[in-house]
Amino acid sequence: MPHYSGTIQSKLPRVGTTIFTVMSRLAAEHGAINLSQGFPDFDCAPELRALFTKYINAGLNQYPPMAGVPVLREAVAEKAHALYGTEYDVEHEVTIVPGATYAIYTAIAAMVRPGDEVILLEPAYDSYAPSVEVNGGTPVYVQLTYPDYAIPWEAVRQAITPRTRMIVINTPNNPTASVFSAEDLRMLEGVLEGTDIVVIADEVYEHIVFDGHAHQSVARFPGLAERSFVVSSFGKTYHVTGWKTGYVLAPRELMTEFRKVHQFNVFVANGPIQYALAEYMKDKDAYLNLAAFYQRKRDFFLAAIAGSRFTPLRSRGTFFQNLNYDRVSDERDTDLAVRLTREHGIASIPVSVFYREPPQHRVLRFCFAKSEETLSKGAEILSRI
Ligand code: PMP
Ligand code: GLN
């Protein structure tokens, strides 16, 4: 095996393997019920699979256009207009990308210069800070309150300095399962008014908001839409996390810079998948019914663990349910997550890893994008602990 004997000054010295990989691997090793990494254990619609093979068999197997195939960009722009009331120009303001992680990275690479500050709300999805740091930026953290994970807007206001280039928001939120209200978005609009600060709005769970509430996309708010990259992922919406395909909406000025990086970062997203998604998007019910689908799963899981000593925190969106374990153990969540996997056969995600400094609260995140059988088995284990 070749061996590099030079010196490496890592650009990401504190980064190891992601918690999702670690916990999913541990779950597999121990044959545990895996409610850790967020992915469905059921398949996507057979129609969607058939569409993918249809376009492969039709020979659409060469590079698609850099910004994405026009039919898919049109479908995405139409959906954004119908749901959020904002028009995005198909030619210049919609780009199809290989997943939301990629989109967030590329938007940061396009906008953030060394020394720039990027405000992140903690707990923050794990890819944000490394994407900022590898591009020379400095993450500036504002902590959501506990246990309701509300946004302390005054603290956000105070975190802004002349170096602030960007704020990354995520609603519905992973890992907290909270969602921003319209009032939150109006607050953000007010806080950013008169600045050049750009927003990345990670809205990958846009179609998974519960209890009759509407998703509050930044696209609905003119003062935010004009400064935002709106990021979404087909992986969450259509149960195809492995397809790694998503999209970005942004005003032309921002998208021009995004595409300059995009064309040299990957150039294009997978072609035949894009044609398949465009055709599948004609069936609006598939995304309009998704919230009800996952709300049933959330409620099924909550009912099944009702007798356990874990205390559910409110899950308002996403496919995650956080459980407080004050009544179970005083271990650190990272230790408990490992022990539950090894000794009890159930894997979860310790929420403290999404903070720079582990907080005092004791919370584990459980993914309920699973069959009822898996959820029942998981709940049975939790009820015995
Ligand atoms: N953002 C959040 C908040 C997520 O939960 C995920 C994936 N689970 C992503 C981004 C990444 O999405 P993709 O797989 O499309 O890269
Ligand atoms: N976003 C998924 C989660 O929160 C995991 C994605 C990944 O493994 N990178 O569980």
Side-chain angles (χ1 to χ4, degrees):
M1 277 194 286
H3 170 75
Y4 179 72
S5 58
T7 312
I8 298 173
Q9 202 182 349
S10 175
K11 293 183 81 175
L12 295 172
R14 284 173 300 139
V15 167
T17 307
T18 83
I19 189 68
F20 309 118
T21 305
V22 170
M23 291 311 301
S24 273
R25 198 160 50 200
L26 198 66
E29 261 170 46
H30 293 273
I33 301 291
N34 187 5
L35 305 188
S36 66
Q37 191 178 23
F39 64 88
D41 75 342
F42 41 87
D43 205 358
C44 67
E47 297 85 343
L48 184 54
R49 286 203 312 262
L51 286 169
F52 187 13
T53 49
K54 169 178 145 181
Y55 287 105
I56 289 177
N57 291 333
L60 290 163
N61 296 311
Q62 309 308 326
Y63 294 129
M66 185 265 276
V69 303
V71 275
L72 183 55
R73 279 185 278 143
E74 277 157 24
V76 164
E78 226 177 87
K79 186 190 76 165
H81 186 232
L83 296 183
Y84 310 130
T86 301
E87 278 190 49
Y88 285 93
D89 176 65
V90 171
E91 199 50 45
H92 303 289
E93 301 185 327
V94 183
T95 303
I96 309 301
V97 290
T101 314
Y102 167 91
I104 292 160
Y105 180 87
T106 302
I108 291 171
M111 302 310 297
V112 173
R113 292 168 185 279
D116 283 353
E117 293 175 358
V118 177
I119 297 177
L120 304 179
L121 303 177
E122 274 189 314
Y125 184 62
D126 68 338
S127 81
Y128 302 162
S131 301
V132 170
E133 285 167 348
V134 83
N135 285 293
T138 306
V140 172
Y141 296 94
V142 175
Q143 261 190 34
L144 301 177
T145 61
Y146 178 82
D148 51 351
Y149 298 115
I151 304 146
W153 284 112
E154 195 40 44
V156 174
R157 200 184 293 278
Q158 283 170 17
I160 293 177
T161 76
R163 310 215 71 148
T164 309
R165 176 82 282 246
M166 178 182 270
I167 178 168
V168 183
I169 63 166
N170 171 215
T171 182
N173 188 270
N174 179 10
T176 69
S178 59
V179 303
F180 282 34
S181 64
E183 182 53 22
D184 286 324
L185 285 254
R186 277 192 289 272
M187 289 300 286
L188 182 63
E189 206 170 24
V191 166
L192 299 182
E193 198 182 336
T195 73
D196 285 341
I197 297 171
V198 168
V199 177
I200 293 182
D202 178 347
E203 301 187 5
V204 299
Y205 301 100
E206 63 178 320
H207 300 298
I208 317 179
V209 177
F210 304 136
D211 306 318
H213 293 286
H215 168 58
Q216 298 298 333
S217 173
V218 292
R220 286 181 193 267
F221 298 80
L224 293 175
E226 68 183 24
R227 60 172 82 237
S228 294
F229 293 97
V230 188
V231 174
S232 193
S233 172
F234 295 104
K236 314 290 167 185
T237 304
Y238 293 141
H239 316 309
V240 286
T241 58
W243 284 20
K244 293 300 296 186
T245 307
Y247 60 85
V248 181
L249 309 170
R252 183 171 181 166
E253 297 72 19
L254 296 181
M255 191 59 95
T256 302
E257 296 306 311
F258 181 95
R259 288 184 183 173
K260 285 182 191 172
V261 179
H262 170 67
Q263 66 182 346
F264 296 118
N265 206 2
V266 67
F267 183 52
V268 284
N270 180 302
I273 283 179
Q274 295 189 48
Y275 290 104
L277 289 167
E279 189 166 338
Y280 193 63
M281 277 187 78
K282 290 181 185 154
D283 173 17
K284 297 185 173 50
D285 286 345
Y287 54 83
L288 294 178
N289 293 337
L290 192 68
F293 172 80
Y294 275 124
Q295 185 169 325
R296 281 195 297 276
K297 290 201 178 289
R298 177 198 68 176
D299 293 345
F300 181 86
F301 183 57
L302 282 174
I305 59 161
S308 87
R309 291 192 295 150
F310 291 86
T311 311
L313 302 182
R314 185 90 188 263
S315 171
R316 297 171 191 268
T318 74
F319 43 51
F320 302 116
Q321 175 64 57
N322 286 319
L323 301 180
N324 170 289
Y325 60 88
D326 280 346
R327 294 194 291 145
V328 173
S329 161
D330 55 14
E331 281 160 279
R332 289 186 356 206
D333 61 351
T334 40
D335 294 336
L336 183 64
V338 169
R339 192 167 69 77
L340 291 185
T341 309
R342 287 204 174 120
E343 295 177 12
H344 294 273
I346 178 135
S348 58
I349 295 286
V351 168
S352 71
V353 302
F354 301 100
Y355 291 83
R356 194 184 21 159
E357 300 290 340
Q360 292 310 307
H361 0 114
R362 300 191 179 92
V363 182
L364 295 174
R365 189 198 81 177
F366 293 81
C367 173
F368 55 76
K370 308 292 167 188
S371 67
E372 290 197 352
E373 193 193 342
T374 310
L375 292 175
S376 293
K377 284 186 189 157
E380 206 177 290
I381 296 172
L382 290 172
S383 302
R384 279 190 264 114
I385 293 170

